[in-house]
């Protein structure tokens, strides 16, 4: 199970003025870890952050932590014998190809290369850069396994200047057949430019904000690729000039942010290509007057960037795309831990509804629209007026449908569904700005309140459909430390995945008896059999969330294939024939 496990700190060393290394005993992680992979480190009571593995040797693991934020500053005050939570390892690793290999490393990039050098007995040259001699990290350790060529910006050791300048001089003399790079993104971009001219295959170790580390939340998006799932190591040809790598980064809210003060404002030149979804008569359907190529879509919260969501349609075959829940102003979300498993295939999350704010969603939505499937904007706010304003701006962006989130169980939104009259008012306000443009409105409810009353209030407030269910409220506690594990102020999070499957089925059946609106079912749908059940219980469409993290983007295609097989064998011609109403 993927949950932070407590480890005692065995050793601490001050490596540079800002960096300390921490050593833990873990036979399992030490055995599994590969160079390039990272761990999620929970500093109890403070935060959780991703960190590259610097060494896995003699049943021990080592990490090097720079003091750069709340969690890392707190960890620097910890002593030998204190406990830290660790989950992982996560992500992919550097390949083992090449005979004469080199690494270009700067900033805090050297731990991963120290680990690579320790594991791979190669002809390895490491170009190690820092501002000053004091900031050279793991130089002596790497020297045990590789030739190290140093560059410092102040000239206090080795070449005076940038490490990329030293590298571009040396590449002429040496015939490297493989290059790796770790460190600041602008430096890695420069390395890719140099090696492209020499046609040398290059891998880079990317960094973004990592929250779940399991391919669920999309906060680590590089513009289509999640670095925790498809990375953090990427071949340069896959990402250079094709993603946000070296162009912009994203802050905790998911908003595009500058790298070293450089932020391209010309987002329009980065848009995805037009796509035409495959027609399939078995699955074509209409919901609230909108045509869908198929009734399977992602559920809200599984991606922020338009490019990632676009992939769900073009690679995964999703029939509609749902945005992260968006409010008026950008929101960073909660400190970590934001996410872990409480049982197998059953995660809990307390992301805190991070989002870039509707004003920064224009180009994300533009990207999503290129997939040519309905784009559904999930909205929330502090009051009916805010919900309305967000929806109104979304309508301007050309969305197809609005999903009103009144049910996130770990944020301020959770109190809304306690008050059905308020739900009704919110739905009416949103409907007022959507219905005149033919844009339907659905309301997402949860198992944490009287869901029948909430659904009825939504129906009275002119909702066109109900989405059920959001996550199930729960507060995990670490018994050893007697401490709330999630970083949300309340300690509560929401359970998703297989653990809420039965509950979601029950709620669907209950709702089907009580309301006339179409229902989009969500919660624990992993397979075509799960989906079939939802249609036979009266759902008109299905949303898939956790299964994207566990099974990958192709889960939509897998479910459609299984269902189509079943329909062919049993003489059904269209998905609507499966939907039963009581
Ligand atoms: C990481 C994560 C983020 C989520 N973010 C949102 C959100 O922003 N808005 C929302 O309505 N639901 C959100 N949800 C809830 C899901 O949309 C869905 O209702 C829930 O996960 C149950 O479906 P599943 O079992 O298929 O995951 C989130 C769930 C997860 C795991
Ligand atoms: S951190 Fe990578 S998808 Fe959540």
């Amino acid at each position: 199970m993927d949950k932070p496990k407590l480890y005692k700190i065995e050793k601490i060393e001050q490596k540079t003025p800002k960096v300390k290394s921490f050593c833990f005993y873990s036979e399992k992680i030490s055995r599994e870890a590969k160079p390039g992979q990272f761990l999620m480190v929970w500093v109890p009571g403070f935060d959780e952050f991703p960190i590259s593995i610097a060494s896995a040797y003699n049943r021990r693991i080592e990490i090097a932590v720079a003091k750069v934020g709340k969690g890392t500053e707190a960890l620097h005050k910890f002593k030998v014998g204190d406990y830290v939570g660790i989950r992982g390892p996560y992500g992919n690793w550097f390949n083992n190809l090449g005979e004469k290999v080199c690494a270009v490393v700067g900033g805090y990039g050297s731990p991963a290369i120290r680990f690579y050098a320790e594991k791979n007995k190669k002809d390895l040259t490491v170009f190690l850069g820092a501002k000053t001699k004091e900031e050279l990290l793991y130089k002596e350790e790497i020297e045990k396994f590789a030739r190290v060529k140093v560059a410092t910006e102040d000239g206090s050791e080795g070449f005076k200047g940038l490490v990329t300048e030293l590298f571009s001089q040396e590449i002429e003399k040496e015939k490297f057949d493989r290059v790796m790079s770790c460190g600041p993104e602008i430096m890695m971009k420069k390395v890719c430019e140099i090696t492209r001219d020499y046609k040398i295959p290059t891998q880079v170790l990317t960094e973004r904000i990592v929250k779940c580390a399991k391919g669920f939340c999309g906060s680590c998006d590089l513009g289509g690729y999640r670095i925790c799932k498809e990375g953090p190591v990427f071949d340069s040809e896959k990402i250079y000039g094709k993603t946000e790598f070296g162009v912009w980064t994203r802050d905790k809210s998911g908003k595009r942010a500058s790298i070293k003060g450089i932020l391209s404002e010309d987002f329009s030149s980065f848009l995805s290509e037009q796509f035409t979804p495959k027609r399939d008569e078995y699955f074509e359907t209409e919901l609230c007057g909108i045509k869908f190529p198929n009734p399977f879509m992602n559920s809200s919260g599984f991606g922020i960037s338009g490019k990632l969501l676009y992939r769900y349609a073009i690679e995964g075959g999703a029939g509609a795309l749902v945005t992260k829940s968006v409010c008026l102003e950008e929101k960073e979300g909660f400190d970590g831990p934001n996410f872990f498993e409480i049982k197998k295939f059953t995660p809990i999350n307390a992301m805190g509804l991070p989002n870039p704010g509707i004003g920064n969603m224009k180009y994300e939505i533009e990207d999503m629209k290129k997939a040519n499937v309905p784009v559904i904007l999930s909205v929330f706010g502090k009051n009916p007026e805010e919900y309305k304003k967000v929806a109104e701006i979304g309508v301007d962006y050309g969305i197809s449908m609005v999903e009103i989130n009144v049910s996130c169980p770990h944020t301020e939104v959770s109190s809304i569904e306690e008050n059905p009259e308020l739900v009704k008012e919110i739905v009416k306000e949103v409907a007022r700005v959507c219905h005149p443009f033919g844009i339907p409105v659905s309301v997402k409810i949860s198992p944490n309140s009287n869901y029948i009353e909430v659904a009825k209030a939504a129906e009275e407030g002119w909702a066109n459909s109900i989405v059920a269910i959001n996550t199930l409220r729960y507060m995990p506690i670490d018994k050893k430390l007697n401490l709330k594990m999630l970083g949300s102020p309340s300690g509560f999070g929401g359970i998703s995945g297989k653990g809420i499957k039965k509950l979601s089925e029950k709620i669907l059946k209950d709702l089907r008896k009580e309301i006339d609106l179409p229902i989009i079912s969500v919660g624990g749908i992993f397979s075509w059999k799960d989906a079939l059940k939802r249609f036979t219980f009266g759902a008109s469409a299905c949303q898939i969330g956790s299964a994207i993290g566990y099974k990958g983007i192709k889960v939509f295609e897998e479910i459609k294939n299984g269902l189509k097989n079943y329909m062919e064998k049993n003489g059904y011609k269209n998905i609507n024939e499966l939907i039963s109403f009581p």
Side-chain angles (χ1 to χ4, degrees):
M1 197 182 23
D2 241 329
K3 188 177 180 181
K5 191 172 165 220
L6 293 179
Y7 291 92
K8 217 183 242 183
I9 302 173
E10 268 197 346
K11 196 166 110 190
I12 303 176
E13 270 180 40
Q14 188 81 44
K15 288 287 174 193
T16 72
K18 265 193 156 179
V19 179
K20 279 185 180 176
S21 69
F22 297 82
C23 191
F24 307 90
Y25 179 89
S26 172
E27 196 172 345
K28 183 174 178 287
I29 300 178
S30 166
R31 195 178 53 242
E32 288 174 6
K34 304 224 168 46
Q37 285 193 301
F38 66 95
L39 301 171
M40 291 301 286
V41 175
W42 171 41
V43 186
F46 293 92
D47 203 355
E48 188 188 47
F49 50 83
I51 201 92
S52 284
I53 300 163
S55 172
Y57 185 68
N58 201 15
R59 296 178 203 164
R60 273 152 184 90
I61 44 166
E62 184 174 316
I63 55 173
V65 180
K67 233 200 279 184
V68 288
K70 187 176 165 184
T72 54
E73 275 175 23
L75 184 58
H76 270 238
K77 295 193 184 116
F78 274 41
K79 306 261 178 307
V80 168
D82 286 345
Y83 283 101
V84 166
I86 297 182
R87 58 187 178 102
Y90 295 114
N92 65 357
W93 47 91
F94 287 111
N95 66 35
N96 192 18
L97 302 173
E99 296 299 322
K100 196 168 163 47
V101 180
C102 94
V104 187
V105 182
Y108 305 124
S110 47
I113 291 303
R114 184 259 172 116
F115 187 21
Y116 177 91
E118 179 184 284
K119 283 270 168 214
N120 295 282
K121 306 283 172 269
K122 293 247 171 211
D123 180 340
L124 174 66
T125 305
V126 177
F127 294 92
L128 187 61
K131 282 202 166 71
T132 65
K133 180 182 170 185
E134 289 71 37
E135 286 167 87
L136 289 165
L137 181 58
Y138 281 133
K139 178 173 161 274
E140 287 79 28
E141 288 82 350
I142 297 172
E143 273 171 343
K144 288 186 195 149
F145 307 99
R147 261 183 313 281
V148 177
K149 300 196 175 192
V150 168
T152 51
E153 285 176 38
D154 68 352
S156 47
E157 185 170 331
F159 174 86
K160 183 171 188 220
L162 297 174
V163 69
T164 45
E165 291 164 358
L166 173 62
F167 174 57
S168 57
Q169 284 178 16
E170 298 282 316
I171 199 170
E172 286 284 351
K173 299 181 218 153
E174 311 243 18
K175 293 274 172 278
F176 298 117
D177 55 8
R178 210 86 200 168
V179 174
M180 294 169 289
S181 188
C182 315
E185 196 154 311
I186 293 297
M187 179 207 82
M188 294 195 289
K189 185 182 179 196
K190 183 75 192 158
V191 171
C192 294
E193 281 158 7
I194 297 168
T195 56
R196 196 176 49 175
D197 291 344
Y198 288 88
K199 298 194 172 44
I200 306 174
T202 300
Q203 290 197 304
V204 292
L205 184 78
T206 54
E207 280 183 27
R208 283 291 181 273
I209 304 280
V210 174
K211 294 186 179 179
C212 74
K214 289 196 46 103
F216 282 64
C217 70
S219 72
C220 64
D221 199 337
L222 203 63
Y225 300 116
R226 295 151 298 176
I227 72 152
C228 71
K229 196 80 178 169
E230 287 104 352
V233 176
F234 287 96
D235 289 340
S236 62
E237 315 92 81
K238 185 163 177 175
I239 57 170
Y240 182 90
K242 296 174 184 154
T243 62
E244 299 168 8
F245 172 74
V247 189
W248 66 78
T249 183
R250 295 202 177 236
D251 65 18
K252 283 187 173 173
S253 74
K255 190 179 84 174
R256 300 172 186 204
S258 69
I259 301 176
K260 283 225 160 187
I262 309 162
L263 177 63
S264 164
E265 289 294 342
D266 182 18
F267 294 136
S268 57
S269 59
F270 283 93
L271 287 176
S272 302
E273 284 174 16
Q274 284 288 352
F275 171 75
T276 310
K278 254 192 276 160
R279 288 199 57 183
D280 189 336
E281 286 173 359
Y282 279 87
F283 291 119
E284 280 174 347
T285 188
E286 206 177 295
L287 184 62
C288 311
I290 308 271
K291 288 191 173 13
F292 288 68
N294 69 69
F296 300 101
M297 62 198 87
N298 67 288
S299 66
S300 177
F302 289 79
I304 296 174
S305 90
K307 288 242 175 356
L308 177 59
L309 290 157
Y310 170 84
R311 279 185 69 210
Y312 293 173
I314 64 152
E315 287 176 37
L321 300 173
V322 185
T323 67
K324 173 76 190 164
S325 292
V326 178
C327 59
L328 214 47
E329 304 294 340
E330 66 188 84
K331 214 170 169 269
E332 286 195 345
F334 298 144
D335 289 337
N338 300 112
F339 181 101
F340 50 83
E341 277 184 324
I342 53 164
K343 273 196 304 196
K344 203 151 177 45
F345 299 118
T346 304
I348 187 158
N349 90 82
M351 309 303 295
L353 291 176
N355 76 92
I358 188 69
N360 293 306
M361 283 295 288
K362 182 174 189 315
Y363 285 101
E364 312 307 340
I365 289 171
E366 284 299 321
D367 262 325
M368 293 166 77
K369 279 165 38 187
K370 298 278 184 191
N372 273 310
V373 296
V375 170
I376 302 173
L377 175 69
S378 171
V379 300
F380 74 98
K382 291 195 197 82
N383 49 48
E385 183 63 19
E386 270 196 27
Y387 273 90
K388 185 185 86 179
K389 276 191 187 151
V390 179
E392 206 166 17
I393 297 171
V395 169
D396 267 357
Y397 292 163
I399 46 130
S400 318
M401 196 164 169
V402 168
E403 182 176 296
I404 301 176
N405 179 359
V406 290
S407 51
C408 176
H410 55 270
T411 61
E412 63 280 9
V413 170
S414 65
S415 62
I416 292 177
E417 64 176 350
E418 303 291 331
N419 181 350
E421 275 307 307
L422 180 59
V423 172
K424 196 197 296 182
E425 199 187 329
I426 289 170
V427 184
K428 280 191 176 170
E429 283 298 309
V430 172
R432 274 195 188 98
V433 293
C434 292
H435 285 174
F437 299 95
I439 293 174
V441 170
S442 49
V443 177
K444 185 164 177 185
I445 62 175
S446 86
N448 309 305
S449 64
N450 185 334
Y451 49 84
I452 302 281
E453 265 187 37
V454 178
K456 283 187 172 165
E459 196 167 28
E460 284 167 24
W462 314 325
N464 303 92
S465 68
I466 297 294
V467 180
I469 54 174
N470 212 317
T471 52
L472 176 66
R473 186 185 291 133
Y474 181 69
M475 185 198 293
I477 302 280
D478 184 280
K479 293 203 181 97
K480 190 166 186 168
L481 301 176
N482 192 21
L483 194 70
K484 292 172 193 161
M485 290 189 76
L486 287 165
S488 52
S490 65
F492 278 103
I495 302 173
S496 63
K498 288 198 178 175
I500 61 164
K501 178 172 128 174
K502 290 268 178 291
L503 182 63
S504 174
E505 288 171 359
K506 176 190 174 322
I507 292 176
L508 169 61
K509 283 200 272 184
D510 292 348
L511 288 171
R512 196 60 298 158
K513 283 188 227 139
E514 299 286 340
I515 58 164
D516 294 325
L517 295 176
I519 300 169
I520 302 174
S521 188
V522 51
I525 300 175
F526 277 59
S527 68
W528 70 267
K529 284 186 183 158
D530 295 338
L532 174 64
K533 238 189 199 173
R534 305 300 165 106
F535 291 113
T536 57
F537 290 170
S540 299
C542 291
Q543 289 187 353
I544 294 156
S546 299
I548 299 175
Y550 287 115
K551 297 181 118 184
I553 287 175
K554 300 260 188 233
V555 63
F556 302 98
E557 214 57 72
E558 183 197 312
I559 289 178
K560 282 191 295 179
N561 288 342
L563 209 50
K564 189 165 172 181
N565 211 359
Y566 171 86
M567 289 163 74
E568 278 170 351
K569 277 193 191 137
N570 291 282
Y572 294 102
K573 296 270 176 275
N574 181 269
I575 192 81
N576 284 296
E577 295 167 21
L578 290 175
I579 304 173
S580 51
F581 287 89

